[in-house]
Amino acid sequence: GQQLNQSPQSMFIQEGEDVSMNCTSSSIFNTWLWYKQDPGEGPVLLIALYKAGELTSNGRLTAQFGITRKDSFLNISASIPSDVGIYFCAGQLRSSNTGKLIFGQGTTLQVKP
Amino acid sequence: GAVVSQHPSRVICKSGTSVKIECRSLDFQATTMFWYRQFPKQSLMLMATSNEGSKATYEQGVEKDKFLINHASLTLSTLTVTSAHPEDSSFYICSASKGRYEQYFGPGTRLTVT
């Protein structure tokens, strides 16, 4: 099936540092979404991207929809302990009309106070 | 807003029994609802897509007779795990879509089959 390659798989950083993670695919997407999941909870939508090249911010989070429509990145600036969690990218294929999302494998973020 | 609830949050059942999980969109009407399963330290695995008033579309490898999905209204979908076995123990998460591309997730249901 279709896959999204999300990297890095995990990160352990110091509070205050900036974080960057990305997702790539060989397929073209018409939507990119970034979610955060805390242990035992459902994912929470952080940022939604709809157009190639689009750059969107949500507080300390910034995400971009790649020009080729095959990739996206998420940056977190000045990390804080509550940023800890698993971050997932998700995309909808341009060829899809079902609303189904394809998910990356997740990036586990740990922040050391 | 876009709030999705799930009930129950945790359930323990005996092998061979059936369990029903409810998913509700609380402040919007959901054109489509999705059911996922998640194993520890893994990503979300889509089980099925359901639209109100029509049969659910199951992903390859998901048994439709074991995982019964009913989407009775624009705000409610249910997943029934029939004749549950220990291997069905997992974290089940639903999501709902307003019609664009975003999916809003419920808090999940932890199912343990003993």
Side-chain angles (χ1 to χ4, degrees):
Chain A
Q2 298 290 340
Q3 283 194 332
L4 285 180
N5 298 311
Q6 185 171 350
S7 65
Q9 186 175 356
S10 63
M11 303 180 75
F12 189 86
I13 62 170
Q14 195 79 28
E15 181 177 2
E17 291 182 353
D18 296 342
V19 172
S20 184
M21 59 193 79
N22 69 83
C23 276
T24 61
S25 175
S26 58
S27 300
I28 293 176
F29 287 79
N30 61 13
T31 303
W32 284 97
L33 306 171
W34 284 92
Y35 289 89
K36 179 184 181 227
Q37 185 177 27
D38 291 329
E41 300 288 333
V44 173
L45 181 63
L46 299 174
I47 292 179
L49 302 160
Y50 303 106
K51 293 189 292 188
E54 181 179 355
L55 183 71
T56 298
S57 293
N58 177 7
R60 293 178 295 106
L61 279 61
T62 302
Q64 184 160 31
F65 192 142
I67 290 291
T68 64
R69 306 182 73 167
K70 296 181 179 181
D71 63 318
S72 176
F73 72 74
L74 173 71
N75 288 342
I76 305 173
S77 63
S79 59
I80 59 178
S82 62
D83 291 333
V84 166
I86 304 176
Y87 292 80
F88 289 101
C89 64
Q92 184 178 71
L93 288 169
R94 185 178 66 175
S95 58
S96 170
N97 63 356
T98 63
K100 285 167 47 173
L101 293 177
I102 297 173
F103 280 82
Q105 302 95 325
T107 296
T108 300
L109 178 63
Q110 294 178 287
V111 179
K112 184 177 180 182
Chain B
V3 182
V4 177
S5 70
Q6 262 183 261
H7 178 80
S9 58
R10 288 178 177 271
V11 57
I12 300 173
C13 70
K14 292 186 177 179
S15 188
T17 61
S18 295
V19 173
K20 180 185 283 188
I21 303 170
E22 288 188 351
C23 177
R24 293 181 185 272
S25 55
L26 298 184
D27 54 358
F28 67 99
Q29 292 188 325
T31 54
T32 308
M33 287 186 167
F34 304 84
W35 286 95
Y36 294 83
R37 185 172 179 178
Q38 187 177 35
F39 292 103
K41 299 188 185 301
Q42 292 191 21
S43 189
L44 288 80
M45 182 185 78
L46 180 66
M47 299 174 67
T49 302
S50 81
N51 293 289
E52 183 258 344
S54 61
K55 290 184 179 180
T57 302
Y58 290 81
E59 294 300 297
Q60 192 172 7
V62 178
E63 299 175 60
K64 62 180 181 180
D65 294 330
K66 180 165 187 63
F67 298 100
L68 300 178
I69 292 173
N70 183 276
H71 196 154
S73 74
L74 285 172
T75 60
L76 173 64
S77 177
T78 60
L79 168 69
T80 301
V81 183
T82 62
S83 186
H85 289 99
E87 57 266 29
D88 298 324
S89 298
S90 192
F91 192 52
Y92 293 88
I93 317 175
C94 72
S95 71
S97 174
K98 291 183 184 180
R100 207 172 179 185
Y101 304 118
E102 306 100 338
Q103 289 182 25
Y104 299 92
F105 286 85
T109 297
R110 174 74 59 191
L111 171 63
T112 303
V113 185
T114 60

